[in-house]
Amino acid sequence: MGKPSFSGVTGVFDAQRHMVVIPELWARKYGTQLADMGVSYAIYVQNGYYITKGRPADLDRAYQSARCILTISDDASRCVALAFPGAEHKILRVHYSVDAQRFWPDTAKENIITYMPRKLADHSSKVLFFLRHHLPAHWRIVPIDGLNEVQVAALLKRSKIFMAFSHFEGCPLPPLEAALSGNQVIGYTGQGAKEYWLPEIFEEVASGDVAGFAQRVLDKVQAIDQAEQFELPLSAIRTLAETYSEAQERKDMLEFLKAMGLNTNGLPT
């Protein structure tokens, strides 16, 4: 059997010079296949709670045979290290980027509370039920559903509070976008969001405490109503914008390419 190669849309894959990157959900099937073929590959773990899907023996081999394991968050790194002892030295933490020009505060804030109804719908419906007799009439709750990215950003710019119903997520994006847009974020971390849960912006609710969730929202509404103006924690927002910036994402990926000995010529630094 000769050197493995694969024909693709960009030409011929050369196992001696190129590398395959697969998501964690593909590791159970393609990780062992790539290992059998002698193809160099990395696994990109965007959710540390998805790495449990598959036969344990196949997963063990896939992760132990990978040259590198990219992780989207500190929590994802912890999950990989716990699940696959001996593979810790292969972990390389990378960041995704959020367009801070699109997701940035607007001074024209309204008394709007936003949330995503597809996230733990049973939890959010219960929170809304508990809020129905107590939310002041000059406040309204607007679900974020069926909107494109531009429309989501426009709505988050106007709202003041975002309710987060994250559940077992690698590094949940909606709460971060809401924070960058100048919202006070209340809710679940989904575990992965703990790394960006700055106290100036975020309030954590224990997952499942829907009555407590509703009360925290009401407390925040009261605090905002009693304040002379809605204060934006710009210093904390800038910190988040820098951490999850395009520049940081590029830096992480260049580090990955260099660590793997892959060509970075012509790539922006």
Side-chain angles (χ1 to χ4, degrees), residues 98-159:
V98 180
D99 185 352
Q101 292 186 331
R102 175 165 291 174
F103 293 94
W104 194 254
D106 194 324
T107 54
K109 285 287 188 180
E110 301 176 32
N111 291 331
I112 294 175
I113 300 169
T114 49
Y115 76 105
M116 292 193 163
R118 293 177 289 105
K119 299 279 187 177
L120 292 180
D122 183 50
H123 291 229
S124 62
S125 65
K126 285 179 170 58
V127 171
L128 295 182
F129 184 83
F130 289 128
L131 288 173
R132 63 195 176 104
H133 289 314
H134 303 282
L135 193 67
H138 59 282
W139 281 81
R140 60 194 177 102
I141 300 174
V142 180
I144 301 176
D145 193 30
L147 305 179
N148 60 34
E149 185 180 62
V150 173
Q151 294 168 324
V152 169
L155 179 54
L156 288 175
K157 282 179 181 290
R158 292 161 48 215
S159 67

Side-chain angles (χ1 to χ4, degrees), residues 28-73:
R28 57 184 170 178
K29 180 178 180 181
Y30 297 110
T32 55
Q33 291 185 29
L34 292 167
D36 288 340
M37 300 176 71
V39 174
S40 178
Y41 69 93
I43 301 172
Y44 187 12
V45 179
Q46 299 182 74
N47 190 321
Y49 303 98
Y50 287 168
I51 64 176
T52 63
K53 298 179 182 296
R55 291 178 60 240
D58 291 340
L59 294 170
D60 285 343
R61 181 151 187 261
Y63 279 83
Q64 297 297 346
S65 299
R67 281 192 63 196
C68 183
I69 303 168
L70 302 169
T71 56
I72 200 65
S73 64

Side-chain angles (χ1 to χ4, degrees), residues 201-221:
I201 300 174
F202 300 90
E203 290 189 25
E204 182 178 358
V205 176
S207 184
D209 183 12
V210 292
F213 199 133
Q215 188 59 56
R216 296 285 283 278
V217 172
L218 292 172
D219 291 345
K220 181 61 67 176
V221 165

Side-chain angles (χ1 to χ4, degrees), residues 70-266:
L70 302 169
T71 56
I72 200 65
S73 64
D74 295 339
D75 184 66
S77 298
R78 181 184 67 162
C79 289
V80 171
L82 188 61
F84 306 107
E88 300 94 329
H89 67 285
K90 300 181 181 182
I91 295 173
L92 177 62
R93 166 66 201 279
V94 296
H95 297 77
Y96 59 61
S97 62
V98 180
D99 185 352
Q101 292 186 331
R102 175 165 291 174
F103 293 94
W104 194 254
D106 194 324
T107 54
K109 285 287 188 180
E110 301 176 32
N111 291 331
I112 294 175
I113 300 169
T114 49
Y115 76 105
M116 292 193 163
R118 293 177 289 105
K119 299 279 187 177
L120 292 180
D122 183 50
H123 291 229
S124 62
S125 65
K126 285 179 170 58
V127 171
L128 295 182
F129 184 83
F130 289 128
L131 288 173
R132 63 195 176 104
H133 289 314
H134 303 282
L135 193 67
H138 59 282
W139 281 81
R140 60 194 177 102
I141 300 174
V142 180
I144 301 176
D145 193 30
L147 305 179
N148 60 34
E149 185 180 62
V150 173
Q151 294 168 324
V152 169
L155 179 54
L156 288 175
K157 282 179 181 290
R158 292 161 48 215
S159 67
K160 293 180 178 178
I161 298 174
F162 178 81
M163 299 189 296
F165 294 95
S166 304
H167 179 64
F168 285 140
E169 298 188 37
C171 195
L173 185 59
L176 180 58
E177 292 175 337
L180 290 171
S181 302
N183 287 264
Q184 290 292 301
V185 180
I186 299 172
Y188 308 157
T189 66
Q191 302 303 316
K194 288 181 177 180
E195 68 180 51
Y196 64 65
W197 213 256
L198 301 179
E200 302 94 324
I201 300 174
F202 300 90
E203 290 189 25
E204 182 178 358
V205 176
S207 184
D209 183 12
V210 292
F213 199 133
Q215 188 59 56
R216 296 285 283 278
V217 172
L218 292 172
D219 291 345
K220 181 61 67 176
V221 165
Q222 183 180 33
I224 292 173
D225 281 348
Q226 291 177 348
E228 292 184 5
Q229 62 181 3
F230 185 69
E231 295 287 345
L232 292 169
L234 291 177
S235 178
I237 291 173
R238 290 192 184 97
T239 296
L240 292 176
E242 291 172 2
T243 302
Y244 299 92
S245 65
E246 184 179 337
Q248 182 62 55
E249 183 179 34
R250 185 184 300 112
K251 179 182 177 182
D252 292 343
M253 296 315 296
L254 283 171
E255 182 181 344
F256 163 63
L257 293 175
K258 290 176 181 177
M260 296 298 101
L262 299 173
N263 188 1
T264 60
N265 292 337

